Amino acid sequence: TAQITIIMISAHALAHTKPVENILSKIGSYPNSQIQAYALVTFISGVASLFAWSFGLIVGGIISKFVAIGCSKKRIRIHYPLLVASAYSGYVIWHMGYSSSAALFVSSSGHSLEEQIGILPVTETIFTNFNITLAIITLGIITIINPLMRPTNKTEIKEIDPNVFRFSKNKDNEQNLNQNNRTFAQVIENNRLISLFVGFVLLFFIFYIFHQKGFSLDLNLVSWTFLGLGLILSSSPIHYVKLVNNAAITVGPIILQYPFYAGIMGMMADTGLINVVAAKISQISSSETLGFYSFLSGGLVNMFIPSGGGQWAVQGPVMIEAARNLNVEPYVVVLGVAYGDQWTNMIQPFWTIPLLAIAGLHMRQIMGYTFVIFLITGFL
């Protein structure tokens, strides 16, 4: 719970640092047509989702807002719900990237299935040629599909409401304080050198680990990456604290879910239900089709357990046991469950909440478009 929470908070905070927002604002001014606008938002959110799932959601919401405002200034009429749906569609590949929960869980020392499968490095899951190629193909296809769904009837276009987003220069309280009136604590917490030092130390430690052990990611290293970058790009230690405080309100539903996931996993393990379900899956599957059934079951379970990490905690033991029964390599079911989870996110409304909160829309306004992405990516 703590690992997933820290990843989400640190990625959220990173997305809201001034340099990142400035870059996104600059990118938002690039499109000169409707097609470019929808394609750009899809591509940027997809790349950001590969970097981190929470980072992708937040960046998607921010970039769709900036692109919509930039197009409005150029008198390019953009259907804002489709633009936001394009941002969310990039989330369909998050499990193929740097923060894939299932892949990171099985690559972390001490994970719950270590006795069964050992430590499964990310070089056998998310950094395989197959996974990287599929991620690129999927991103390319959705980047093409989203612009094709743009309304042809001008009366159907719903543009962004300029009154919803009013930009004002943020004036940090610490900047308004007279230098002579600052206490020693205020001087320390507003000293950017401290956050820069801690951030660079964290990144140096990560590179040192890679140098010593090779490229071996786990949940801790991923969260430290976002933490280090966030500290470096923030204005000061107190500024980063404020970013974290703003991000913390988004993790409440996540924290609440995990104790229930742990309870479900415990009941399944202690009652022997895992073995029963694994035996049933083994009966209807073969060594060639288990990956496909892992994909389908992952998509189904995601409708009830929307967290990728929580889903693996519950479903992982079942699928690993089925893989052992059929002599299938563990990475097959790890990727199968991961692909299924990200696939049905397009019709699972849970993860639209942070993005829609930034965009200022309702779920029903984007779900029709994401359902199309769900159908198309299902065939991939």
Side-chain angles (χ1 to χ4, degrees), residues 120-178:
L120 197 64
V122 292
T123 53
E124 296 183 18
T125 52
I126 56 178
F127 286 100
T128 58
N129 291 333
F130 169 79
N131 183 70
I132 294 173
T133 301
L134 187 59
I136 293 173
I137 292 174
T138 305
L139 180 58
I141 289 176
I142 63 176
T143 301
I144 295 172
I145 293 298
N146 283 325
L148 296 178
M149 291 191 287
R150 67 189 186 279
T152 55
N153 189 340
K154 293 183 178 180
T155 61
E156 297 177 358
I157 297 177
K158 178 180 173 60
E159 296 185 84
I160 189 173
D161 182 1
N163 295 320
V164 174
F165 306 108
R166 294 185 180 275
F167 294 94
S168 59
K169 294 183 179 180
N170 295 321
K171 295 182 179 180
D172 297 330
N173 292 331
E174 63 270 18
Q175 292 178 348
N176 295 328
L177 292 172
N178 189 302

Side-chain angles (χ1 to χ4, degrees), residues 186-376:
Q186 289 172 332
V187 172
I188 294 297
E189 66 186 11
N190 286 285
N191 190 329
R192 190 179 185 187
L193 292 177
I194 295 176
S195 54
L196 283 174
F197 174 75
V198 177
F200 279 116
V201 167
L202 278 170
L203 295 186
F204 174 80
F205 177 73
I206 292 170
F207 286 119
Y208 176 76
I209 292 295
F210 290 161
H211 176 73
Q212 293 291 107
K213 300 182 179 180
F215 189 66
S216 56
L217 284 177
D218 58 21
L219 287 167
N220 294 329
L221 288 176
V222 171
S223 63
W224 293 341
T225 301
F226 302 145
L227 178 60
L229 290 175
L231 284 167
I232 291 172
L233 297 181
S234 61
S235 301
S236 64
I238 193 63
H239 177 234
Y240 190 73
V241 169
K242 292 178 179 179
L243 293 176
V244 169
N245 286 341
N246 292 334
I249 62 174
T250 65
V251 302
I254 308 299
I255 296 174
L256 184 61
Q257 289 179 55
Y258 273 85
F260 290 97
Y261 298 153
I264 293 171
M265 182 176 65
M267 288 188 292
M268 292 179 67
D270 293 342
T271 60
L273 184 58
I274 287 178
N275 295 327
V276 173
V277 175
K280 292 294 183 182
I281 294 176
S282 300
Q283 289 175 6
I284 64 174
S285 306
S286 64
S287 57
E288 290 79 18
T289 62
L290 182 60
F292 176 69
Y293 282 111
S294 299
F295 168 74
L296 292 181
S297 63
L300 177 62
V301 173
N302 182 47
M303 301 305 295
F304 303 97
I305 305 177
S307 167
Q311 177 178 341
W312 177 253
V314 174
Q315 191 178 3
V318 176
M319 301 312 301
I320 290 298
E321 185 64 27
R324 293 177 66 186
N325 294 340
L326 295 172
N327 294 318
V328 174
E329 292 294 328
Y331 76 87
V332 174
V333 294
V334 172
L335 289 178
V337 172
Y339 292 168
D341 171 76
Q342 66 185 10
W343 172 49
T344 51
N345 277 332
M346 294 299 99
I347 55 174
Q348 161 60 268
F350 183 85
W351 294 114
T352 63
I353 295 172
L355 182 141
L356 293 175
I358 295 173
L361 293 179
H362 298 289
M363 181 184 66
R364 63 178 181 275
Q365 294 175 287
I366 72 167
M367 194 56 67
Y369 301 113
T370 59
F371 183 75
V372 174
I373 300 298
F374 164 78
L375 293 177
I376 293 174

Side-chain angles (χ1 to χ4, degrees), residues 42-64:
T42 304
F43 181 79
I44 294 297
S45 64
V47 172
S49 295
L50 288 175
F51 185 58
W53 55 276
S54 56
F55 188 72
L57 288 175
I58 304 305
V59 164
I62 296 173
I63 192 65
S64 60

